[in-house]
Amino acid sequence: KQYIYTDFVKFLVKAMMFPEVPFFVCLDEMNLAPVEQYFAEFLSVLETRKKTESGIKTGALVKAKYFENLLDADRGDGYIYTQWFPDIKQNVPYNIYTNPTLKTKGLGLPENIFVIGTVNMDDTTHQFSRKVLDRAMTIEMNGGKLIDMFGHSNDLEYLPEENVWKVDLFKPKYVNADEVLDEHPTEEEMLKTQLSEKLDAINDVLEGTPFVVSYRVLNELVIYAGVLLDDGKGMDEVINDAVDQITLMKILPRIEGDEDMLGNAKDENNRLCRLMKVVGPKSQEKLKEM
């Protein structure tokens, strides 16, 4: 009859205590179980993200009532701090380590939390559902020559403090497409029309299959384009690169099936061949492999 604070929950609280430090959650072999089952609450809270003056905030992953007794036990010595993190020797401001917002608003996703998972795609694992793919960025990493494995065991080293990447380099700047358009008003019309047309062309090929994409992918596409614009890239390059990368990360991984759905490989009019005509060069290479 009590709430059990898992290591993951404690890690999120710890991230709240050190907002200037990036915290990485690494999940190995993520799809040995269906992701949308054990990660359901996390995926739901992602949908509540809102941009505020003090950063990106979310709804509660763990409700406030589960922290009431824990925080009531605090008598000025930072109960959470001393009981959960006795290994931390740094001084933490009292109002941070007692986390009064836990008692009033609950535990949301701190802005400095980043989740990365590894996935092996074979017949012993679960395929990512389209719900998960819509909310994640997937990056395919294939190995090189086997002999390259040797000699790298000691390559990992800590960088000097002045070379360490600051948390702002990892944090997202945008949550929805409208924020990108507000930031880049002169490019607004081109972003809206060209990116929508590119996705519509992909959807036209995928019509009649479960793989058609919707507003969530378009939202991510506009955000990706906004980040490229922030980096000073030209508009044509932004449109082409954004569509190519989002196709690789969010659209091609959702496509699976047999000849009835995708067409015979010998038929130049099958869906995958038709897709090659409306996507970028990196996506074309992947489609050849598929």
Side-chain angles (χ1 to χ4, degrees):
K1 295 185 177 181
Q2 62 176 335
Y3 182 81
I4 304 298
Y5 302 97
T6 63
D7 289 343
F8 180 62
V9 168
K10 292 180 180 181
F11 193 72
L12 295 183
V13 172
K14 191 177 182 181
M16 287 180 65
M17 292 163 51
F18 297 93
E20 299 305 315
V21 178
F23 278 68
F24 296 94
V25 179
C26 297
L27 301 174
D28 195 27
E29 300 284 6
M30 218 176 159
N31 60 334
L32 289 180
V35 176
E36 62 276 8
Q37 292 182 14
Y38 68 83
F39 229 38
E41 291 91 344
F42 183 92
L43 294 173
S44 295
V45 170
L46 275 183
E47 297 293 288
T48 67
R49 288 178 300 170
K50 289 185 179 178
K51 193 173 182 180
T52 68
E53 291 183 358
S54 57
I56 295 173
K57 304 295 182 185
T58 73
L61 186 65
V62 181
K63 293 181 180 178
K65 64 180 181 180
Y66 297 115
F67 291 98
E68 288 176 353
N69 292 337
L70 183 68
L71 291 169
D72 284 343
D74 180 60
R75 294 294 180 269
D77 59 350
Y79 185 84
I80 288 180
Y81 182 38
T82 57
Q83 298 298 312
W84 283 7
F85 313 114
D87 57 316
I88 297 178
K89 305 304 179 186
Q90 298 182 39
N91 289 324
V92 181
Y94 177 76
N95 66 326
I96 292 181
Y97 67 62
T98 54
N99 287 309
T101 57
L102 291 176
K103 197 171 180 178
T104 56
K105 297 182 179 179
L107 175 65
L109 291 178
E111 201 176 3
N112 55 329
I113 279 282
F114 309 97
V115 178
I116 300 172
T118 65
V119 176
N120 281 317
M121 302 308 294
D122 56 42
D123 56 5
T124 66
T125 58
H126 294 268
Q127 175 75 15
F128 269 2
S129 69
R130 291 185 289 279
K131 175 179 179 178
V132 174
L133 289 172
D134 279 350
R135 291 161 174 80
M137 295 292 189
T138 59
I139 301 174
E140 186 172 354
M141 303 176 71
N142 295 316
K145 295 181 179 178
L146 292 180
I147 198 168
D148 293 339
M149 181 190 81
F150 302 104
H152 299 289
S153 302
N154 300 318
D155 285 354
L156 221 54
E157 59 180 341
Y158 284 102
L159 293 171
E161 186 68 30
E162 61 271 16
N163 294 337
V164 172
W165 285 9
K166 304 303 181 187
V167 69
D168 286 342
L169 284 173
F170 298 99
K171 292 196 303 191
K173 183 177 179 181
Y174 308 108
V175 173
N176 63 61
D178 286 339
E179 294 165 3
V180 175
L181 302 182
D182 290 341
E183 187 77 14
H184 300 278
T186 56
E187 292 89 0
E188 176 179 353
E189 201 56 39
M190 290 182 69
L191 287 172
K192 287 163 60 175
T193 57
Q194 292 195 32
L195 294 179
S196 299
E197 287 171 359
K198 297 276 189 183
L199 273 193
D200 280 338
I202 292 173
N203 271 347
D204 286 344
V205 178
L206 296 176
E207 188 176 359
T209 74
F211 314 130
V212 174
V213 298
S214 60
Y215 302 113
R216 187 174 280 107
V217 173
L218 178 58
N219 185 69
E220 296 290 323
L221 175 57
V222 175
I223 289 174
Y224 199 102
V227 172
L228 295 181
L229 282 174
D230 292 340
D231 285 343
K233 295 190 175 183
M235 195 61 185
D236 288 343
E237 184 182 7
V238 165
I239 296 292
N240 292 332
D241 284 0
V243 172
D244 202 8
Q245 292 294 344
I246 289 296
T247 301
L248 275 175
M249 289 190 281
K250 286 186 173 290
I251 300 176
L252 299 189
R254 67 203 285 135
I255 297 176
E256 57 178 343
D258 54 22
E259 288 184 10
D260 292 337
M261 187 176 292
L262 300 173
N264 190 304
K266 296 177 182 178
D267 177 8
E268 293 183 0
N269 290 317
N270 71 58
R271 288 188 196 274
L272 298 189
C273 287
R274 287 161 54 204
L275 262 184
M276 290 182 65
K277 299 174 183 177
V278 295
V279 299
K282 293 179 180 176
S283 300
Q284 288 175 3
E285 287 302 312
K286 180 60 183 175
L287 280 166
K288 288 178 185 176
E289 178 188 328
M290 292 169 67

